[in-house]
């Protein structure tokens, strides 16, 4: 159903997807969807702003999903479950911002509300000129039910101006003697099961070098006074290897790992380098990979994983933390879930070049091999390599 500006319709409360769409082409800026959850026309805090760097609302009611490009038609999607919206929230505003241009340069801008695959509402935004942000529509409560309204209000001040209008505090540089500035809202990105991915491109981290660090410690399993001694002994015996499978756009594939002394190279293919072979798991050292993101256009995908070389047959009882530190942009971290299977290999993170973005996906996936771990992780991710047994 195509809606005129200002009109409204009732909507279901569960399973909704909001698709922001437009046509791409030369000189067309990228566009991002976002949502603001409002009380009396304002957010309660920065947590009520859902966008690519804060992709899930704490209530789980609104989630930012993947952006897709299908033959020049781009969609950026939000999922909305209105039954999970907190009672205090009166409306959910659906916004768009243009990165590197204005909406006058964006053809075919529209928003669709879908119930499953069925389109229940569509609003086509026309007549844009110098606007760099738009409110396209909103869900709002009316007499115990939810409705959707087509809005089409533009902002020349971009996402910052739109956010400020809805009560989000945006720090600005001061030229007099101001009080000490408040710390930034986001100091790092933590990937979870609910929010497993982040765009390095969107957060400005897709250039320079990126360090991938793995550190670990054994969970104390021995009761009594011998626990610390036993834990330290296990730490010294355990040898984990941080590795990376890579596939470049020219079709070449390989594995960077300590086995066989395949430490890679930073300034020539595969542009991935393993710093060394650590056996302590200490926070200030651990195992480290460095990836040269200045060559990201040559990457198709990179799978960072860890294997047990010796000292244990499974990751059970191990607590490990993975940190990806781009040279630019926020650090990204996540912890591994507790291992409940006999697995000596774990996929940590998958970096994918979508053509327009470099995306990091949390995997935290334990793999149980039928034989050696190399073919097992290859099969799990469809890498298609031939494997031989190698030693350090």
């Amino acid at each position: 159903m195509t809606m005129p500006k200002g009109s409204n319709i009732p909507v279901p409360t569960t399973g909704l997807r909001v698709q922001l769409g437009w046509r791409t082409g030369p000189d067309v800026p990228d566009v991002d969807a976002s949502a603001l959850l409002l009380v009396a026309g304002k957010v309660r805090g920065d947590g009520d702003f859902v966008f690519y760097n804060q992709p899930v609302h704490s209530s789980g009611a609104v989630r930012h999903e993947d952006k897709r490009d299908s033959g020049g038609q781009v969609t950026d999607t939000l999922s909305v479950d209105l039954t999970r919206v907190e009672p205090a929230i009166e409306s959910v505003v659906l916004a768009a911002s243009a990165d590197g241009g204005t909406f006058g340069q964006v053809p075919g801008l529209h928003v669709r509300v879908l119930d499953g695959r069925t389109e229940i509402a569509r609003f086509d935004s026309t007549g844009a000129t110098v606007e760099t942000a738009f409110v396209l529509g909103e869900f709002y409560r009316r007499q115990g039910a939810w409705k959707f309204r087509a809005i089409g209000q533009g902002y020349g001040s971009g996402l910052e101006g739109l956010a400020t209008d809805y009560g989000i505090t945006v720090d600005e540089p001061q030229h007099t003697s101001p009080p000490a500035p408040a710390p930034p809202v986001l100091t790092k990105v933590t990937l979870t099961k609910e929010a497993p991915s982040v765009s390095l491109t969107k957060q400005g981290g897709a250039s320079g070098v990126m360090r991938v660090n793995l550190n670990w410690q054994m969970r104390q399993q021995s009761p009594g006074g011998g626990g610390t001694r036993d834990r330290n002994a296990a730490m010294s015996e355990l040898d984990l290897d941080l590795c990376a499978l890579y596939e470049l756009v020219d079709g070449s594939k390989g594995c960077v790992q300590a086995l066989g002394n395949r430490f890679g190279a930073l300034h020539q293919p595969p542009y991935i380098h393993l710093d060394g072979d650590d056996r302590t798991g200490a926070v200030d050292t651990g195992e480290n990979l460095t990836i040269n993101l200045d060559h990201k256009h040559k990457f198709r995908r990179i799978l960072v994983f860890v294997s047990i070389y010796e000292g244990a047959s499974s990751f059970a009882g191990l607590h490990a933390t993975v940190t990806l530190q781009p040279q630019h942009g926020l650090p990204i971290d996540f912890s591994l879930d507790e291992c409940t299977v006999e697995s000596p290999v774990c996929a940590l993170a998958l970096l994918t070049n979508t053509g327009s973005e470099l995306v990091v996906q949390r995997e935290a996936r334990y793999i149980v091999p039928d034989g050696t771990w190399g073919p097992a992780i290859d099969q799990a991710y469809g890498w298609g390599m031939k494997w031989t047994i190698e030693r350090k």
Side-chain angles (χ1 to χ4, degrees), residues 96-98 101 103 130-134 154-164:
S97 57
F103 277 103
V130 298
E131 297 88 348
T132 49
F134 254 96
Y155 289 75
S157 51
L159 188 60
E160 178 179 319
L162 182 150
T164 301

Side-chain angles (χ1 to χ4, degrees), residues 4 13 20 40 56 69 119 129 152 168 220 242 254 260 277 281 326 329 357 363 387:
T13 55
L20 175 69
V56 183
D69 186 342
E119 181 183 280
T129 54
I168 294 176
Q220 184 171 323
L242 187 62
D277 183 24
E357 296 180 78
E363 295 294 309
W387 293 82

Side-chain angles (χ1 to χ4, degrees), residues 95-156:
S97 57
D99 183 9
T102 69
F103 277 103
Q105 301 168 265
V106 180
L109 181 67
H110 64 274
V111 63
R112 302 170 68 211
V113 179
L114 304 172
D115 181 10
R117 296 186 177 182
T118 303
E119 181 183 280
I120 58 175
R122 177 183 175 119
F123 172 57
D124 292 274
S125 181
T126 60
T129 54
V130 298
E131 297 88 348
T132 49
F134 254 96
V135 172
L136 294 170
E138 68 171 343
F139 296 108
Y140 65 99
R141 298 183 194 264
R142 182 58 56 86
Q143 297 179 345
W146 284 93
K147 291 187 173 185
F148 173 76
R149 176 187 290 118
I151 296 180
Q153 176 185 351
Y155 289 75

